[in-house]
């Protein structure tokens, strides 16, 4: 196991099997320009679900690694236990918090499956893991987010699940031909079916689905794309997360949208009644940002 810390305070733990866990200080997510506190105490934790990823998205380095297998329940738990060790060390140093394990959510304000792998292909283990987190650490299901590349049947299982788990859909383009190009292994799932499931999720839960949207210059940021997103008429406050394309080696042939264009999308989506944020990229210098895990 190897641990690296970014200049913005993000901590990447790479396990010997090849998957990684990313611990991101909330302060780095909120304002990257402000210095990270020496001992941050609140984090978002990004977990992996598989070793390699069979989905092969062209903008993601994890998709270039040959898929090996799902992580076991033991390995999923190990990602938490390793993280707790990091945080406990900081607690001892600062003497700010000695409350113990039942207050995991004081430190880890959200857990997101946005690391290596497609979590809905390892759903049985992940749901067992969520139940374990809830029993062992009193950690709320609503603070856990599963980010999927879009498998409608599996998304439906989350909607039917007995507890409210957050769901994020990596849509990245509302045009089928472009989505097929950048997410070639998802061709069998038409966008219209994915949007249908988003409507269903939004009907069931107060907290709306998150739509993750990669901003790629002239490919996903056209006026037509923006209008298509608005035309879906998703529920008010559906949460759009615009992700500037990272300059990872897998994406050198493409450019990110300009900051002005990304800001324009944000404003227009907000005017349409959605929530919309631009994702702050953290941990780029240690290859821990979105799409850079390999
Ligand atoms: S974006 Fe997600 S689903 Fe696509 S290849 Fe990367 S890890 Fe897999």
């Amino acid at each position: 196991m190897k641990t690296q810390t970014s200049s913005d305070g993000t901590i990447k733990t790479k396990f010997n099997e090849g998957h990684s866990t990313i611990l991101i200080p909330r302060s780095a997510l909120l304002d990257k320009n402000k210095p990270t506190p020496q001992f941050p105490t609140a984090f978002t934790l990004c977990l992996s679900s598989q070793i390699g990823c069979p989905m092969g998205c062209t903008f993601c380095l994890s998709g270039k690694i040959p898929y090996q297998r799902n992580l076991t329940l033991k390995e999923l738990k190990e990602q938490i236990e390793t993280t707790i060790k990091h945080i406990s060390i900081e607690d001892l140093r600062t003497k700010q918090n000695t409350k113990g394990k039942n207050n995991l959510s004081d430190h880890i304000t959200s857990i997101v499956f946005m690391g290596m792998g497609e979590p809905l292909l390892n759903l049985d283990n992940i749901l067992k893991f969520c139940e374990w987190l809830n029993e062992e650490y009193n950690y709320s299901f609503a603070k856990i987010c599963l980010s999927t590349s879009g498998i409608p049947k599996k998304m439906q299982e989350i909607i039917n699940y007995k507890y409210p788990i957050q769901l994020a859909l990596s849509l990245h383009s509302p045009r089928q031909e472009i989505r097929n190009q950048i997410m070639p292994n998802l061709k069998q799932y038409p966008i219209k079916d994915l949007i249908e499931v988003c409507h269903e999720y939004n009907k069931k839960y107060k907290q709306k689905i998150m739509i993750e949207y990669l901003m790629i210059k002239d490919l996903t940021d056209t006026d037509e794309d923006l209008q298509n997103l608005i035309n879906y008429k998703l529920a008010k406050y559906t949460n759009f997360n615009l992700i500037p394309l990272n300059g990872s080696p897998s994406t050198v042939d493409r450019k990110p949208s300009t900051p002005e264009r990304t800001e324009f999308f944000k404003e227009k989506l907000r005017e349409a009644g959605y929530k919309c944020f631009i994702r702050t990229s953290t941990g780029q210098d240690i290859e821990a940002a979105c799409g850079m895990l390999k």
Side-chain angles (χ1 to χ4, degrees):
M1 188 192 308
K2 184 180 161 201
T3 299
Q4 285 174 285
T5 303
S6 157
S7 56
D8 61 29
T10 299
I11 300 167
K12 177 165 93 173
T13 303
K14 183 152 185 177
F15 293 86
N16 296 340
E17 293 76 12
H19 60 293
S20 301
T21 296
I22 315 293
L23 188 62
I24 310 161
R26 296 286 298 165
S27 49
L29 282 172
L30 295 174
D31 187 349
K32 236 190 141 190
N33 297 320
K34 281 196 187 157
T36 305
Q38 197 181 0
F39 301 119
T41 53
F43 300 86
T44 287
L45 177 63
C46 177
L47 301 182
S48 295
S49 53
Q50 299 181 309
I51 301 175
C53 181
M55 306 319 269
C57 304
T58 57
F59 48 81
C60 173
L61 285 178
S62 298
K64 302 209 180 301
I65 298 173
Y67 168 69
Q68 290 180 36
R69 60 175 175 83
N70 283 337
L71 290 178
T72 62
L73 180 58
K74 187 167 175 267
E75 288 166 330
L76 293 171
K77 290 179 184 178
E78 190 188 9
Q79 293 186 85
I80 290 290
E81 280 150 5
T82 308
T83 302
I84 287 171
K85 276 186 206 150
H86 281 304
I87 293 173
S88 304
I89 289 166
E90 301 310 346
D91 281 348
L92 287 176
R93 281 193 198 164
T94 59
K95 295 189 172 46
Q96 281 178 355
N97 192 323
T98 51
K99 288 182 196 165
K101 70 176 185 179
N102 286 329
N103 293 286
L104 185 64
S105 59
D106 287 351
H107 300 296
I108 310 283
T109 53
S110 60
I111 292 179
V112 296
F113 275 93
M114 295 183 184
M116 181 179 282
E118 164 52 67
L120 299 199
L121 292 180
N122 190 10
L123 195 53
D124 286 353
N125 278 338
I126 286 183
L127 292 180
K128 280 183 203 151
F129 166 79
C130 295
E131 286 173 19
W132 168 79
L133 260 185
N134 183 259
E135 275 166 28
E136 188 79 2
Y137 293 103
N138 197 22
Y139 202 85
S140 163
F141 288 86
K143 285 174 180 279
I144 303 170
C145 178
L146 308 189
S147 171
T148 179
S149 52
I151 305 170
K153 251 192 183 169
K154 294 283 180 183
M155 291 167 76
Q156 194 65 52
E157 280 184 44
I158 300 290
I159 296 174
N160 297 339
Y161 185 58
K162 54 192 168 179
Y163 302 115
I165 293 189
Q166 273 189 50
L167 194 55
L169 167 66
S170 295
L171 181 64
H172 302 324
S173 174
R175 286 182 285 154
Q176 195 67 58
E177 70 279 13
I178 301 296
R179 195 169 197 269
N180 292 351
Q181 188 185 318
I182 59 178
M183 303 174 83
N185 295 350
L186 277 298
K187 274 184 195 160
Q188 70 268 41
Y189 307 120
I191 293 175
K192 68 173 182 34
D193 292 358
L194 298 174
I195 298 300
E196 194 56 43
V197 186
C198 291
H199 280 294
E200 271 192 56
Y201 184 93
N202 281 348
K203 254 186 231 156
K204 179 157 179 189
Y205 292 116
K206 204 170 152 203
Q207 180 154 285
K208 304 302 175 207
I209 199 160
M210 180 194 287
I211 306 285
E212 298 176 295
Y213 197 86
L214 202 54
M215 294 297 292
I216 308 176
K217 191 172 178 340
D218 301 330
L219 194 73
T220 66
D221 70 352
T222 66
D223 288 345
E224 183 190 348
D225 294 323
L226 180 59
Q227 199 50 52
N228 280 333
L229 296 177
I230 292 170
N231 289 348
Y232 287 144
K233 295 198 185 327
L234 291 166
K236 208 172 175 198
Y237 305 129
T238 296
N239 185 0
F240 276 76
N241 219 224
L242 304 180
I243 308 172
L245 181 70
N246 279 318
S248 69
S250 65
T251 55
V252 282
D253 55 332
R254 300 201 177 109
K255 289 204 167 90
S257 305
T258 62
E260 295 74 23
R261 188 66 183 161
T262 306
E263 196 63 36
F264 178 75
F265 258 56
K266 183 182 93 178
E267 288 312 317
K268 291 294 169 193
L269 289 168
R270 284 186 175 180
E271 276 171 26
Y274 301 137
K275 269 199 218 169
C276 185
F277 299 95
I278 299 170
R279 184 173 295 173
T280 308
S281 192
T282 60
Q284 275 181 322
D285 54 341
I286 55 165
E287 296 183 334
C290 288
M292 295 179 91
L293 295 186
K294 60 180 180 182

